[in-house]
């Protein structure tokens, strides 16, 4: 299975870059599954139902969320009716929506997508390790699932690394989101799970993690509340990771970064 994961979509320019490029990427890379993190897609904070529909219609199979899941209140009444939009599984019981989804491809193969959120330097949440363990207890990679992807939305690199090793051999891909900066540590772990600490963002990199520079810098310099942060509006890059898995085992065979447009050096897989 050929899987593309795209990091946090930030604001208008980020989502427009994804929507415009995704159909071509699906065709040229012969993608079977596309997962995008959309928690900053609506003006940098949250995801509206309308923008969620636009991303799904453009070719995303699943949209994951994170700590900005409920910044758009209109998503709260919508998320239960759209299983392809998932919020972190370790929100407390009774929270709207689901933390995982099984996607069935047109050829009958199945892929599990899971979202969890870290606890280090983040909001108080249930245990993400226990949450993902509970979900995986109902599925078996290479038997009931042909592939499994876990989005770890976390601040601490140590927590993401720990989750990667914790799930090594049990899922196809563990990939970090939230810090909006693509890391150069992508690799296939000893048990066969592909891992990257952070996929980066889809947005304007001439910014402070996707937000306009002046207001962001002022907060650091003055240490006082200032203007509300607004997404940067320049030329956007898309950033993510492509993984090819073995259908027999569900484990990763190859992986490579995907970057296009904007201020980042472009790169596409050659497999």
């Amino acid at each position: 299975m050929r899987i593309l994961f795209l990091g946090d979509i930030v604001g208008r320019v980020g989502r427009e870059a994804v929507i415009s490029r995704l159909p071509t990427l699906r065709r040229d890379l012969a993608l079977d599954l596309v997962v995008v993190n959309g928690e900053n897609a609506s003006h940098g904070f949250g995801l509206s139902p309308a923008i969620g529909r636009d991303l799904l219609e453009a070719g995303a199979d699943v949209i994951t969320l994170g700590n900005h899941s409920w910044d758009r209140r209109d998503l709260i009444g919508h998320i239960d009716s759209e299983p392809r939009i998932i919020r972190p599984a370790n929100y407390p019981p009774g929270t709207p929506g689901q933390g995982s989804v099984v996607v069935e491809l047109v050829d009958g193969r199945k892929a599990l997508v899971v979202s969890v959120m870290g606890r280090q330097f983040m909001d108080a949440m249930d245990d993400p390790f226990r949450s993902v363990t509970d979900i995986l207890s109902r599925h078996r990679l290479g038997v009931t699932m042909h592939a499994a992807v876990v989005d770890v939305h976390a601040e601490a690199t140590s927590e993401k690394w720990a989750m990667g090793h914790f799930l090594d051999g049990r899922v196809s891909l563990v990939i970090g989101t939230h810090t909006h900066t693509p890391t150069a540590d992508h690799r296939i772990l000893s048990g066969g799970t592909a891992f990257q600490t952070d996929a980066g963002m889809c947005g304007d990199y001439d910014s402070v993690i996707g937000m306009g520079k002046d207001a962001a810098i002022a907060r650091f310099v003055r240490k006082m509340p200032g203007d509300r942060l607004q997404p940067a509006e320049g030329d956007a890059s898309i950033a993510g990771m492509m993984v090819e898995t073995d259908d027999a085992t569900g484990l990763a065979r190859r992986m490579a970064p995907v970057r296009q447009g904007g201020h980042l050096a472009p790169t596409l897989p050659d497999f």
Side-chain angles (χ1 to χ4, degrees), residues 213-269:
K213 292 181 284 188
D214 291 343
I217 292 169
R219 291 189 175 200
F220 287 107
V221 172
R222 299 174 186 164
K223 302 304 291 183
M224 294 177 62
D227 295 337
R228 177 179 170 85
L229 296 176
Q230 299 289 340
E233 293 288 325
D235 191 13
S237 304
I238 63 170
M241 183 61 58
M242 180 177 166
V243 176
E244 183 181 83
T245 65
D246 184 328
D247 283 340
T249 64
L251 297 173
R253 295 196 300 200
R254 297 183 286 187
M255 67 186 304
V258 173
R259 293 191 296 270
Q260 281 191 327
H263 301 275
L264 299 185
T267 181
L268 286 174

Side-chain angles (χ1 to χ4, degrees), residues 12-269:
R12 178 185 61 81
V13 297
R15 65 178 183 264
E16 288 181 353
V18 171
I19 289 169
S20 65
R21 293 174 182 269
L22 196 48
T24 301
L25 286 171
R26 285 206 75 130
R27 182 192 67 228
D28 292 351
L29 298 178
L31 298 171
D32 298 302
L33 178 72
V34 175
V35 182
V36 302
N37 185 290
E39 72 134 17
N40 300 119
S42 295
H43 309 291
F45 300 93
L47 176 73
S48 70
I51 291 173
R53 285 192 295 269
D54 289 344
L55 292 169
L56 293 168
E57 289 173 0
D61 295 297
V62 180
I63 302 171
T64 59
L65 299 173
N67 58 303
H68 291 290
S69 293
W70 313 124
D71 285 8
R72 287 297 303 251
R73 300 294 180 89
D74 47 352
L75 186 66
I76 296 174
H78 174 76
I79 195 169
D80 281 324
S81 65
E82 181 44 270
R84 294 174 294 177
I85 301 175
I86 61 174
R87 45 75 175 168
N90 54 321
Y91 270 109
T95 302
Q98 300 297 320
S100 65
V101 64
V102 174
V103 178
E104 184 168 352
L105 308 185
V106 293
D107 59 10
R109 288 179 296 169
K110 295 180 179 180
L112 171 69
V113 183
V114 181
S115 171
V116 292
M117 192 154 71
R119 294 189 292 181
Q120 299 298 310
F121 315 114
M122 302 283 282
D123 295 337
M125 298 287 288
D126 292 347
D127 182 358
F129 294 86
R130 184 170 60 239
S131 293
V132 74
T133 297
D134 179 63
I135 292 169
L136 292 178
S137 71
R138 302 189 292 273
H139 305 280
R140 188 175 174 188
L141 189 64
V143 180
T144 62
M145 296 291 111
H146 295 87
V149 177
V150 179
D151 175 354
V152 186
H153 198 76
E155 186 78 33
T157 56
S158 58
E159 193 170 17
K160 297 177 186 182
W161 279 39
M163 185 65 77
H165 291 298
F166 180 72
L167 295 177
D168 187 19
R170 294 193 283 167
V171 301
S172 311
L173 170 65
V174 175
I175 191 157
T177 56
H178 180 64
T179 53
H180 294 200
T181 304
T183 57
D185 63 339
H186 63 277
R187 62 200 187 280
I188 296 176
L189 303 176
S190 59
T193 293
F195 173 79
Q196 185 185 20
T197 300
D198 200 278
M201 70 172 182
C202 298
D204 179 7
Y205 279 79
D206 186 22
S207 66
V208 176
I209 61 169
M211 296 296 168
K213 292 181 284 188
D214 291 343
I217 292 169
R219 291 189 175 200
F220 287 107
V221 172
R222 299 174 186 164
K223 302 304 291 183
M224 294 177 62
D227 295 337
R228 177 179 170 85
L229 296 176
Q230 299 289 340
E233 293 288 325
D235 191 13
S237 304
I238 63 170
M241 183 61 58
M242 180 177 166
V243 176
E244 183 181 83
T245 65
D246 184 328
D247 283 340
T249 64
L251 297 173
R253 295 196 300 200
R254 297 183 286 187
M255 67 186 304
V258 173
R259 293 191 296 270
Q260 281 191 327
H263 301 275
L264 299 185
T267 181
L268 286 174

